[in-house]
DNA sequence: TGAACATTTGGCAAATTAGCCAAATGATCA
DNA sequence: TGATCATTTGGCTAATTTGCCAAATGTTCA
């Protein structure tokens, strides 16, 4: 029952890296081989391969070998909707932030202090 | 444009820790003060406080001071639906795993090898 | 004001993760 | 078979994250 949270957090942890989110983002549009993904993320192939295996072990993506290439694809479809929500959320936050700025609220304290 | 992925991954990273998922799970049912949450997660209050501030900085939760207490609450509502999906996903995976077991597929190789 | 409680912050050691290189593995094709 | 391409694995250091303790801050209430 405590394992539930370990499972859950494994998935979030897998997605909790800019390069890995970038990879998943690319896979939203369909399967891609490692060499294609490698160009996207600007890193050593071995690094990309390791990121992909983190995603695969978490169950977020799947892979399939075709000839000499390995194609990765999105497995956990609900990531798509959640990402869209996260983006809307961040956009809203950015707006609120801009709004506070133009009202001249002190910039550093704004979001770290408790309202009163 | 590259920042998009940094924003996204910050949220996932915040959720990518068993204790923090546990905290968020508790907040699904409503606001809780740190002292209540502290009992849930078995750790030093300072540790819990730091976990909560990671969640707050990512925008996942909000906090509000009431008297001597600080109450945390869920801010990013779409986490609720995604968690439900993640749980269904994990349950399905567990089933498939059990199913392969009873069919006698070699246990180690099963999910780490490519199908062919 | 001072004692007791709730929470956060600073700082540090231990654990984990990231990213590179080199080497291994597997596939293709001449 | 040997050359070449695609991918993964091992190993190592650097960077980041965790979690505890101690101390600081803020609140309540006598």
């Amino acid at each position: 029952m405590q394992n539930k949270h370990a499972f859950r957090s494994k998935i979030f942890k897998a997605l909790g890296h800019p390069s890995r989110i970038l990879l998943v983002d690319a896979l939203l549009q369909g399967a891609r081989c490692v060499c294609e993904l490698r160009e996207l993320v600007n890193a050593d192939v071995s690094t990309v391969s390791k990121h992909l295996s983190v995603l695969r072990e978490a169950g977020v993506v799947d892979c399939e070998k075709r000839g000499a290439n390995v194609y990765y694809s999105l497995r956990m479809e609900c990531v798509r909707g959640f990402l869209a929500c996260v983006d809307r959320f961040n956009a809203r936050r950015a707006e609120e932030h801009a709004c506070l700025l133009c009202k001249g609220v002190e910039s550093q304290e704004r979001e770290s202090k408790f309202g009163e």
Side-chain angles (χ1 to χ4, degrees), chain A residues 94-112:
Chain A
E95 256 178 46
E96 282 165 20
H97 191 266
C99 179
L100 287 170
L101 268 180
C102 69
K103 286 184 188 162
V105 178
E106 283 310 321
S107 75
Q108 278 310 11
E109 313 305 69
R110 199 182 313 125
E111 57 177 330
S112 54

Side-chain angles (χ1 to χ4, degrees), chain A residues 52-99:
Chain A
L52 287 166
S53 78
V54 168
L55 289 167
R56 188 168 52 78
E57 271 162 38
V60 176
V61 305
D62 244 342
C63 66
E64 181 194 6
K65 197 158 193 176
R66 295 188 215 158
N69 296 324
V70 177
Y71 281 78
Y72 282 81
S73 56
L74 187 64
R75 178 177 177 193
M76 192 158 30
E77 268 296 328
C78 52
V79 166
R80 190 186 301 272
F82 186 60
L83 273 180
C85 174
V86 163
D87 290 345
R88 284 195 301 276
F89 185 83
N90 280 327
R92 197 167 352 115
R93 285 228 293 171
E95 256 178 46
E96 282 165 20
H97 191 266
C99 179

Side-chain angles (χ1 to χ4, degrees), chain A residues 12-71:
Chain A
F12 285 108
K13 193 180 295 184
L15 292 162
H17 187 289
S19 299
R20 290 196 293 261
I21 276 283
L22 183 58
L23 290 168
V24 167
D25 198 68
L27 298 182
L28 290 179
Q29 294 165 255
R32 296 282 184 278
C33 69
V34 180
C35 55
E36 288 173 300
L37 295 169
R38 182 237 176 122
E39 289 173 24
L40 198 66
V41 178
N42 214 16
D44 196 90
V45 208
S46 69
T47 302
V48 175
S49 175
K50 279 177 185 174
H51 279 316
L52 287 166
S53 78
V54 168
L55 289 167
R56 188 168 52 78
E57 271 162 38
V60 176
V61 305
D62 244 342
C63 66
E64 181 194 6
K65 197 158 193 176
R66 295 188 215 158
N69 296 324
V70 177
Y71 281 78

